[in-house]
Amino acid sequence: MGYREGEEPVIDEKMRHPQDRLRLILDGSDIIVWAMNSEGIFSVSEGRGLHQIGQSPGEVVGQSVFELYREDAGALAEVKRCLAGEDFASAQQVADRIWQTTFRFLRDESGQPCGASGVSVDITDRIAAETALQSAHDELEQQVAQRTQELVRANDELRQEIKARKIAEEEQRQLSDRLQA
């Protein structure tokens, strides 16, 4: 809804506070927002997406990422990479879902490293749609190639037929010329 310049937008009383608006987003989207200190201890773990990986909001707060994900070398490598100071994004499969995670290295007010944060978005449906689109594209490309081959073959046959008819017409003309002479 729009509002005119100089007018205050009407905000539902439940949405007046930024925390309430953030909660609405976290509870209404397949995302996970997390943060950890420089030792890998979770300080934040929120979002509806947690349910898809068998966790509840806040469940891992106070726990070590290195203990929780000790069996997942790929995830731990990414956490270490971020805690070492690198910001990046990557996609990883967790259970039967694919998550796109943006990793951010955190510094405190004095510029000292203090941890990492991230936002993970469930991209499973997008990946499935991209895969289906690629399959359809590949199938179409195959059909185009097959049809092109059929057209080339038909064109060659027509050229051969035209050549044979020209030869036959020339022979008929020559025969007609001899008969009239």
Side-chain angles (χ1 to χ4, degrees), residues 48-178:
R48 186 176 80 183
L50 288 165
H51 298 291
Q52 295 177 350
I53 62 170
Q55 295 178 4
S56 299
E59 180 180 333
V60 300
V61 170
Q63 297 182 47
S64 169
V65 69
F66 300 108
E67 281 299 313
L68 288 169
Y69 293 96
R70 68 180 164 271
E71 303 292 323
D72 190 341
L76 292 180
E78 290 185 340
V79 168
K80 288 176 184 176
R81 185 174 155 195
C82 186
L83 288 173
E86 187 176 349
D87 292 343
F88 62 97
S90 73
Q92 277 215 358
Q93 185 159 346
V94 178
D96 63 341
R97 310 303 293 174
I98 301 171
W99 296 88
Q100 175 77 40
T101 302
T102 301
F103 292 83
R104 291 289 179 249
F105 179 64
L106 300 177
R107 294 182 181 277
D108 63 19
E109 302 82 33
S110 65
Q112 296 300 307
C114 66
S117 68
V119 176
S120 301
V121 179
D122 182 355
I123 61 169
T124 307
D125 294 339
R126 186 189 89 202
I127 297 296
E130 288 173 358
T131 301
L133 181 61
Q134 185 63 49
S135 293
H137 178 267
D138 293 346
E139 183 179 331
L140 183 59
E141 285 288 329
Q142 184 179 14
Q143 289 174 355
V144 166
Q146 180 181 355
R147 185 66 179 137
T148 299
Q149 288 176 348
E150 291 170 2
L151 289 171
V152 166
R153 196 170 24 256
N155 193 31
D156 287 345
E157 289 172 6
L158 284 173
R159 287 175 193 247
Q160 292 298 323
E161 189 176 318
I162 290 170
K163 184 177 179 181
R165 284 184 186 222
K166 283 184 178 181
I167 291 171
E169 286 175 3
E170 181 61 26
E171 288 174 354
Q172 184 180 13
R173 187 188 61 73
Q174 288 176 0
L175 181 61
S176 177
D177 287 347
R178 275 186 280 173

